[in-house]
Amino acid sequence: MNHLTIDFRPGYVKLLQHEDPPQEGPRVLVTGASGLLGRTVLKEFQKRGCAATGTAYRRAGPHLLRCDLTDEDAVKVLMSQCKPHVVVHCAAERRPDVVERHPEAANNINVHAVGILAREAACCGSFLLYISSDYVFDGRRPPYGQDDAPNPLNAYGRSKREGERQTLQHCARSAVLRVPVLFGEVETPSESAVTALWPKVVQGVPAAGDSCALDHCQLRFPTHTQDVAAVCWNICHAAARDDSIRGMFHYSGKEQMTKYEMALAMARAFNLPSSHLVPLTEQPASAAALRPLNPRLDCSRLEVLGLGVEPRAFASAIRDCLWPFTPDKHWRQTVFH
């Protein structure tokens, strides 16, 4: 595989080629490849025989390109050197409360960087797949089809909607994939809003009378990153053969759950007590950003085209994600062997 880095010294922007032998196969660039989804997408395309390269910024390691996607010159150099056939754009500020508190910085990566990447993808003739969110909808009249009018309730949703516009406006060979809340293989449980519930599950009953209240209003459809990565491959692979594969797509897990129900499912999956978990049936007032109550996605276009995948069951998928964080590190071996 080609491993590249970028030197960002003022006035000195270039790619430095490492000495690894080049891979054969379609050239694919995955942005945000140090993140929850990007890591899995990069592995999926590599597994499929692509010459796939990932970018990151603050968490760029030895096997990723370090690139500030908000720097137009750096992106131009990146694209001209990599010459990707496909770009999967996973990089984003995805925390709604952070976007609400720091809208300018968030829009720089969620909107400005998307426009830069879309224009450069168009110049290179690359197919661009942009990862968006169910938060572009207000959650009042689900399920939402690809052609339904977005109406985001918060700054994060508005930034992702504008990212969609930048993608489709500046790159003719492009598609948008909207997905809901994601979980998967994590470096720490806090990396996903789903697995972030784990510490509250494993704490047990802290003291007599204590409890842990979890939202039981907002309906979510937790979706595994492995399934999303497979859908990304399906879309990009089909687009290479069929120019009609562009525009808007939806993909989602099928299990409707509140945070409270996710936590209960985690407790059941690991045979842990759940009596300390209490449903909160009123909207939490502490969140900086409003959340849609039910942004369920209609995924029929993917299904009709045969580009979807059957989602993994939440119970088994969450076991695979969380067993390394169990108090008993041998849990997986003792349960399954």
Side-chain angles (χ1 to χ4, degrees), residues 37 131-135 177-182 223 228 249-252 297:
L37 178 60
I131 306 299
S132 189
S133 168
D134 59 350
Y135 272 34
L177 178 62
R178 291 171 177 152
V179 295
V181 64
L182 301 179
T223 302
V228 178
F249 294 91
H250 290 174
Y251 180 72
S252 173
L297 298 173

Side-chain angles (χ1 to χ4, degrees), residues 126-304:
S126 308
F127 177 78
L128 173 62
L129 178 59
Y130 171 71
I131 306 299
S132 189
S133 168
D134 59 350
Y135 272 34
V136 301
F137 297 112
D138 59 21
R140 297 186 179 110
R141 301 184 68 181
Y144 291 95
Q146 288 81 191
D147 298 324
D148 287 338
N151 183 34
L153 298 179
N154 56 39
Y156 169 70
R158 289 190 290 274
S159 73
K160 295 304 287 184
R161 176 54 180 155
E162 186 55 36
E164 295 177 354
R165 291 194 184 103
Q166 293 289 322
T167 298
L168 299 174
Q169 177 182 342
H170 295 298
C171 186
R173 294 190 65 237
S174 65
V176 170
L177 178 62
R178 291 171 177 152
V179 295
V181 64
L182 301 179
F183 70 102
E185 183 179 322
V186 291
E187 295 176 349
T188 65
S190 62
E191 198 175 8
S192 159
V194 176
T195 54
L197 300 171
W198 179 241
K200 297 178 181 179
V201 174
V202 297
Q203 72 183 20
V205 182
D210 283 0
S211 61
C212 179
L214 292 169
D215 177 71
H216 195 42
C217 297
Q218 298 163 4
L219 302 177
R220 296 292 175 261
F221 296 82
T223 302
H224 199 279
T225 52
Q226 246 176 13
D227 296 333
V228 178
V231 168
C232 289
W233 160 259
N234 289 347
I235 291 172
C236 294
H237 184 60
R241 308 186 311 271
D242 184 350
D243 281 342
S244 71
I245 305 298
R246 59 182 67 186
M248 203 69 64
F249 294 91
H250 290 174
Y251 180 72
S252 173
K254 295 178 180 179
E255 296 172 82
Q256 176 180 292
M257 311 173 85
T258 62
K259 284 188 175 181
Y260 170 69
E261 290 168 329
M262 290 181 212
L264 287 183
M266 291 176 196
R268 286 194 298 270
F270 291 93
N271 299 315
L272 295 172
S274 60
S275 58
H276 63 294
L277 303 173
V278 177
L280 183 64
T281 55
E282 295 181 358
Q283 289 275 26
S286 59
L290 290 173
R291 266 77 164 172
L293 278 177
N294 184 359
R296 179 184 172 193
L297 298 173
D298 175 350
C299 307
S300 56
R301 185 183 180 202
L302 271 180
E303 293 166 1
V304 167

